[in-house]
Amino acid sequence: MRHARRRIVRRVARLAAVGGLLLGVTMVTRAVASEPPGPSAAPHTLARTSSGAGADLVARLGTDRTAGHWVGPDGRPVVAVTDERAAEAVRRAGAEVKTVRHSMSELRSAASTLRSAPRVPGTAWALDYRSNRVVVRGDRTVSGSDWSRLTGVAERIGGFVRMERAEGEFTTRLNGAEPILSTAGRCSAGFNVTDGTSDFILTAGHCGPTGSVWFGDGQGERQVGKTVAGSFPGDDFSLVRYAGGKAGDGADVVAVGAGKGVRITGAGEPAVGQRVFRSGSTSGLRDGRVTALDATVNYPEGTVTGLIETDVCAEPGDSGGPMFSEGIALGVTSGGSGDCDKGGTTFFQPLTEAMESLGVRLIVSGQGAGREGAAQGAAPSSPASGGAAPGAAAPGAPAPVTGADGSTLLARLTDRRNIGPGLLVVAGSLVALVATRWMRAEQDRKAYRRHYSATWG
């Protein structure tokens, strides 16, 4: 009876080992056949597809029949319309409808009237699609008389202009992903771009005028490059040409702190309600939502228009830092109010507008800096001055792409998208097979000895 149980145990063990061997081979085959896991990206949302669908509907129906679009809590596009025919067209396209009183044309006309009024530093306004209003904010530096005068302008426009007082002060965030320094202060390397001949850092325009020289250290020993073009106020972007002419390795990666990075695959337009991420050298990686578009901010240095308004926090030193979502580059940090303890409002220069104005494009992902291809990438800056070794750390250089939790040996072996788990199963099955064979051989030897011992008497 005991021998029968042993035989059953051995047979079950052999069957399990053979089954495990077949499973492991299948896992390895599938892992090899599938695309390897890419670098880490921002947490996934449905914002890009929703943004595109909403934008297409607004463009097709026109600004007199729509009043913007945004991403709903469920990730679906929501389009504001002013009549039932437009509403029916939106429903047929599979988007949600919100019927509003004022069209996009009216909202833009109101913003234009505000821009033509006497300029008041410390004020800002933006088109709030979800409330169908133009929201005007004034920070603590705006005097009572100036606020009263601007309120009078808003009242003459109509009841869809809302006045709000904001905490803090609207300032440019001078002093991002990785720091770059000049005599003007400290700023961030935003995204790497190219004109096909030279590579550049695209960062905020208020960081420094044309001719500013940027370094990667406080001693001025590692020159990053020089500002060769820009626009501020009015817009808020500038180009820093690399001292060595090329961005170097990893030009399509944005550093997000702690030795981690996110690969950028292209540029796009944001949508209200979209979840976005911002990286900066002062406050690190932060996230939030797009709250409004086409914002105007009256900084002390001048007025900037066409900005992206968000509830992502930022602090001095984050200027020029990259804003992105799902690996898509959206803008560079301009300014705002508040901080990352109490929260606040932060504005971003749209990236596509800046690149079009400057005649540059994002450096291609996976193709090397300065080469054009089907995919595009962007990153904080890479090795700067001429003698930097490939992959060497430099001001604005992207961190290694290691994923959200790093890329340890154990993580790679246990990642189902790699061949590691399959190899572990194969190895364990082979060990089990060898063990069952050894058990059988050992038992046979013992039985042989018992037999002949009895025979010899």
Side-chain angles (χ1 to χ4, degrees):
M1 189 69 178
R2 184 173 55 190
H3 296 301
R5 285 199 299 268
R6 287 176 178 173
R7 285 197 298 271
I8 292 173
V9 171
R10 287 198 301 270
R11 288 172 182 172
V12 171
R14 283 199 298 271
L15 289 174
V18 171
L21 187 60
L22 293 175
L23 176 62
V25 171
T26 301
M27 292 171 65
V28 171
T29 303
R30 289 183 177 179
V32 171
S34 63
E35 182 179 355
S40 83
H44 182 69
T45 68
L46 297 176
R48 262 192 294 157
T49 54
S50 298
S51 171
D56 290 344
L57 286 167
V58 167
R60 179 156 55 90
L61 295 172
T63 58
D64 291 332
R65 304 175 65 196
T66 62
H69 66 95
W70 60 93
V71 179
D74 60 355
R76 292 181 61 196
V78 182
V79 180
V81 300
T82 58
D83 62 67
E84 186 54 35
R85 288 183 60 190
E88 184 59 32
V90 171
R91 293 190 190 98
R92 285 198 304 269
E96 294 185 26
V97 174
K98 182 176 181 180
T99 303
V100 297
R101 181 177 180 181
H102 304 285
S103 68
M104 178 63 75
S105 297
E106 292 178 89
L107 297 179
R108 288 177 176 172
S109 176
S112 178
T113 301
L114 289 167
R115 281 194 294 270
S116 63
R119 179 177 176 274
V120 179
T123 59
W125 53 82
L127 309 186
D128 188 340
Y129 299 156
R130 288 176 287 194
S131 69
N132 195 226
R133 293 183 176 184
V134 178
V135 179
V136 181
R137 296 185 178 90
D139 67 19
R140 64 188 179 193
T141 67
V142 180
S143 66
S145 59
D146 285 340
W147 187 245
S148 178
R149 186 165 59 251
L150 194 58
T151 300
V153 174
E155 290 174 347
R156 289 192 292 274
I157 294 172
F160 61 96
V161 179
R162 186 174 72 235
M163 305 294 290
E164 293 181 355
R165 277 289 196 172
E167 294 184 6
E169 183 178 347
F170 291 126
T171 61
T172 52
R173 292 327 205 178
L174 182 61
N175 271 343
E178 298 287 339
I180 51 176
L181 303 97
S182 76
T183 55
R186 176 166 63 92
C187 264
S188 163
F191 296 101
N192 282 329
V193 296
T194 182
D195 62 3
T197 303
S198 299
D199 295 344
F200 310 83
I201 302 168
L202 198 158
T203 188
H206 69 264
C207 287
T210 299
S212 299
V213 178
W214 295 92
F215 299 91
D217 61 335
Q219 291 72 43
E221 295 177 355
R222 288 187 295 154
Q223 183 177 337
V224 176
K226 180 185 293 186
T227 301
V228 295
S231 177
F232 179 80
D235 301 299
D236 196 0
F237 55 76
S238 64
L239 277 183
V240 177
R241 178 187 285 128
Y242 279 103
K246 296 297 178 183
D249 295 338
D252 57 343
V253 176
V254 166
V256 296
K260 302 168 187 173
V262 171
R263 193 172 302 284
I264 301 298
T265 58
E269 303 288 344
V272 173
Q274 181 177 5
R275 188 185 184 193
V276 293
F277 297 81
R278 174 200 59 74
S279 185
S281 64
T282 298
S283 55
L285 182 67
R286 303 285 175 162
D287 73 298
R289 301 277 176 179
V290 176
T291 54
L293 300 174
D294 199 19
T296 296
V297 185
N298 292 301
Y299 295 124
E301 301 92 336
T303 300
V304 180
T305 62
L307 298 176
I308 305 164
E309 180 188 289
T310 74
D311 60 8
V312 185
C313 73
E315 298 185 358
D318 290 332
S319 279
M323 180 180 74
F324 51 91
S325 178
E326 298 183 359
I328 298 299
L330 300 173
V332 293
T333 307
S334 174
S337 65
D339 54 41
C340 288
D341 290 329
K342 298 179 294 184
T345 299
T346 301
F347 301 95
F348 296 84
Q349 165 68 50
L351 187 66
T352 53
E353 176 191 334
M355 291 194 299
E356 182 179 354
S357 178
L358 294 166
V360 295
R361 60 184 181 276
L362 286 173
I363 288 178
V364 178
S365 174
Q367 299 267 342
R371 298 181 185 176
E372 186 175 9
Q376 289 183 323
S381 41
S382 267
S385 53
V401 184
T402 59
D405 300 315
S407 182
T408 63
L409 176 61
L410 179 60
R412 291 196 298 271
L413 288 176
T414 56
D415 190 337
R416 288 176 296 177
R417 298 169 296 177
N418 289 326
I419 65 173
L423 292 176
L424 289 176
V425 172
V426 170
S429 301
L430 289 174
V431 170
L433 279 175
V434 172
T436 56
R437 293 296 300 171
W438 178 85
M439 290 167 57
R440 175 63 184 270
E442 182 64 21
Q443 289 168 357
D444 288 344
R445 284 194 295 271
K446 289 180 179 179
Y448 179 83
R449 286 197 297 268
R450 285 196 301 268
H451 172 74
Y452 279 97
S453 294
T455 302
W456 296 336

